[in-house]
Amino acid sequence: MSKRKLHLKDVKPNAEKELSRADGHNLSGQSNNFKAYLAAILSFLMLIIGIALDYYEVVFFKDWLRIFWYGIAYVPVGLPVVKAGWESIKRRDVFTEFFLMSLATLGAFIIGEYPEGVAVMLFYAVGELFQNTAVKRAKSNIRALLDVRPKEANVVRNGDVKRVSPDTVAIGEKIQVRMGEKIPLDGILTSKKASLNTAALTGESKPDFIVKGTKVFAGSINIEGVIEIEVTKEFKDSSIARILDLVQNATARKSKTELFIRQFARIYTPIVVFLAMGVAFLPYFFMEDYVFKNWLYRALIFLVISCPCALVISIPLGYFGGLGAASKNGILFKGASFLDAMTKINTLVLDKTGTLTKGVFKIKEIKAFGWDEKGLMKYVMAMEKQSTHPIAKAILEYKAEGAGFEASEVSEIAGKGLTGSVNKKTVLVGNKALMTANKIEVNREMETIEDSVVFVGIDGAFKGYVVIADELKEDAKETITNLHKIGITNIIMLSGDKNSITQKLAWELKIEKAIGGLFPEDKLKEVEILKQNPENKIAFIGDGINDAPVLAASHVGIAMGGLGSDVAIETADVIIQTDQPSKVVKAIKIARSTRKIVWQNIFLAFGVKVMVLILGAVGIATMWEAVFADVGVALLAILNAVRLQKMTWH
């Protein structure tokens, strides 16, 4: 995994170069202009006219005129292929499909099969046009990420709004984003509210309504009014730069299947060429009625069929389709190899906080002894104002009327809580250990509460408690249920939270095994134990810095990209942009669909080619069947791969 950071100016040219090429199959940019289609139309019309003249045996259409006519019909579609074959030979790459098609069609002219020579090259050229169109469509979702790159930022400097390049804006500066514009940098919303379209980043089409103080990410579109944002990250470190980096790496990382097919094609093609030579010449030594023209025709059929374009185009196209479909659904794979790896997962290990829960604490229950709830909370809130703990933040969201409660002499005791003075009363706010240390007796029934509890002691007496709980994500239950449905039954939850809370959540979600109270090294140890069984193919889902070692150790590391830490995202192999655990189920389904289509194409291409090769060798198949075995099968495989773009996964 690459851990490098890229500037956008470095990312886009490389990524676009990778996306624009059709794996060596784009003939001088044919699909980029109308000339390619015009050439095919011209060749087709001349071919049809020539076949009609042949059929009606028109007197003047013979000898050199006939050769000249079909030669002119051949040039528009054949010349780019012949040139591409010659360029490959100069690079010492002889056995390419361009060379094979040139050899086969020129051979057809030599033996007088002019219409078939033109037809083979015409169908091949048309097939290339369709292939390039299909490649563009399959890559469109990935290319869309490149198009969301913001090009300008409205920065507020010395009271004026200046339009500048985003990479010149510093952390801490304020930028304005008008309605309909893309947010150019990550930051904090300083306006009262905003409505954002985050579809390019998360795959979610519904608007995201946020309030002042909320994080916003580059690439989101402001859809309501003018908003102001304080920049928190440089352009090169923004969320959109990170995504573009991931996209670039994803297109560069090939799956094992892709790499095998490419290597196989380089061995397979020359073998078939020599077999074709054998078909042309060896019968001379074994047959009395040997006719060179007939056996050369069969050899040419062999050459046409041998072109491996159905494989070398449709296989990468399938993986591009999978990567594009995933990105459209807010899931970023860091390479096609991880699509393959995801299909083999049978053990899923999950973090709890931030993965299955929102990582946002809320007050669940307040119990006061000897006075009213609001009176108790005024003392608690006065103390918690002095703390930065997540639980303090949850308590401070409580609405309590009245003023005049100020805490003084507040000290924080690590692992226990706070002590201090409020309105000349000694106040203790923390866990049971804090109460015990100060000889405050807590009611025994409090010990049965499984959630996090904040105990309150005032002037040496136990006065109440506040129960704090992390909220379960809306789709957490659905995620576990659907994982079981798709065959992932070995699900384990590992958490740093106390074991009673972890076990309660596991029971609620029907997770078979859960362990709480773990340090990061303990989580890593648990995963290493699982890996000792070679049958376990493990995916780990996490979001925090402490999850990074486990993400790296797993066969597939999955990070929550919205709330997740940068370290976790850098380490992971798959990023869930929306922080929804249910997207993991969708990621597995997309990976399985991609794998299925790739193997369907492999069997289709090999099956048809082998059958027509045999028929061609024994003289049954003609050049027309050879065209179907090459271009026809390639188009069928491509249409099959393009299905990924239209699939939905629920």
Side-chain angles (χ1 to χ4, degrees), residues 299-547:
L300 294 175
I301 292 171
F302 228 73
L303 288 177
V304 173
I305 300 168
S306 71
C307 289
C309 59
L311 292 172
V312 296
I313 269 286
S314 66
I315 304 310
L317 182 60
Y319 283 108
F320 267 114
L323 291 169
S327 66
K328 186 178 179 181
N329 284 278
I331 305 161
L332 293 175
F333 283 85
K334 288 187 178 178
S337 57
F338 301 119
L339 273 169
D340 273 350
M342 189 67 95
T343 64
K344 300 171 185 175
I345 295 303
N346 56 24
T347 301
L348 193 65
V349 183
L350 307 99
D351 175 46
K352 182 182 76 68
T353 306
T355 301
L356 292 171
T357 66
K358 294 180 180 179
V360 179
F361 290 96
K362 298 287 183 183
I363 295 175
K364 185 176 180 180
E365 181 187 359
I366 300 172
K367 190 75 171 178
F369 301 108
W371 51 23
D372 64 282
E373 175 187 302
K374 287 187 177 180
L376 176 72
M377 288 303 294
K378 288 177 183 178
Y379 282 94
V380 176
M381 292 172 71
M383 293 289 290
E384 295 290 4
K385 282 179 184 177
Q386 311 297 317
S387 175
T388 58
H389 195 279
I391 287 178
K393 185 179 178 182
I395 288 173
L396 292 174
E397 289 181 0
Y398 182 85
K399 305 299 180 186
E401 297 176 0
F405 283 72
E406 294 292 335
S408 60
E409 301 176 6
V410 177
S411 62
E412 186 165 353
I413 301 172
K416 293 182 179 180
L418 303 170
T419 66
S421 177
V422 179
N423 289 4
K424 298 181 180 180
K425 293 181 182 289
T426 301
V427 181
L428 298 129
V429 178
N431 58 22
K432 187 186 175 185
L434 180 65
M435 301 294 120
T436 303
N438 287 274
K439 299 180 180 178
I440 296 176
E441 189 175 342
V442 176
N443 297 348
R444 295 196 59 159
E445 58 266 24
M446 303 295 102
E447 297 177 10
T448 62
I449 298 173
E450 293 177 331
D451 295 312
S452 299
V453 183
V454 177
F455 297 107
V456 184
I458 299 176
D459 284 342
F462 179 56
K463 292 297 183 181
Y465 63 87
V466 182
V467 179
I468 304 292
D470 193 359
E471 285 189 277
L472 196 63
K473 287 184 178 178
E474 290 82 359
D475 60 340
K477 287 184 179 179
E478 171 197 348
T479 300
I480 304 303
T481 300
N482 289 335
L483 283 169
H484 285 138
K485 285 181 180 178
I486 63 172
I488 310 293
T489 55
N490 190 17
I491 302 173
I492 302 162
M493 181 168 65
L494 305 178
S495 177
D497 210 340
K498 66 181 185 180
N499 195 50
S500 61
I501 297 174
T502 305
Q503 297 302 332
K504 179 186 175 184
L505 186 65
W507 179 84
E508 187 179 346
L509 295 176
K510 294 183 172 59
I511 294 176
E512 294 80 3
K513 183 180 178 182
I515 307 172
L518 298 176
F519 291 106
E521 57 269 26
D522 298 324
K523 291 183 182 180
L524 181 59
K525 185 178 179 181
E526 291 292 334
V527 169
E528 293 291 355
I529 291 170
L530 288 169
K531 286 178 70 177
Q532 289 175 8
N533 182 351
E535 293 184 4
N536 287 335
K537 300 301 178 185
I538 303 157
F540 178 82
I541 313 171
D543 72 310
I545 293 175
N546 59 350
D547 293 325

Side-chain angles (χ1 to χ4, degrees), residues 192-312:
K192 286 186 178 180
K193 60 178 182 177
S195 181
L196 306 177
N197 179 347
T198 60
L201 302 177
T202 66
E204 294 296 315
S205 57
K206 62 181 181 181
D208 189 9
F209 299 99
I210 62 171
V211 295
K212 185 176 180 178
T214 306
K215 287 182 181 180
V216 294
F217 300 101
S220 303
I221 299 172
N222 177 28
I223 58 178
E224 191 176 294
V226 179
I227 60 173
E228 197 167 272
I229 296 163
E230 183 179 327
V231 176
T232 57
K233 287 186 180 179
E234 292 181 10
F235 191 47
K236 63 185 176 65
D237 297 325
S238 65
S239 55
I240 195 64
R242 186 183 72 210
I243 290 171
L244 291 175
D245 190 5
L246 295 178
V247 169
Q248 185 192 34
N249 289 333
T251 57
R253 286 194 183 95
K254 307 300 180 186
S255 70
K256 289 182 180 179
T257 308
E258 281 183 271
L259 295 173
F260 170 76
I261 289 298
R262 289 188 175 190
Q263 292 169 351
F264 174 80
R266 292 193 172 278
I267 299 170
Y268 153 87
T269 306
I271 288 174
V272 176
V273 170
F274 288 115
L275 285 175
M277 292 174 63
V279 169
F281 298 109
L282 286 178
Y284 171 80
F285 299 101
F286 303 102
M287 301 186 68
E288 294 182 1
D289 58 344
Y290 173 79
V291 179
F292 174 70
K293 181 180 177 181
N294 292 342
W295 286 100
L296 179 59
Y297 181 73
R298 296 181 187 185
L300 294 175
I301 292 171
F302 228 73
L303 288 177
V304 173
I305 300 168
S306 71
C307 289
C309 59
L311 292 172
V312 296

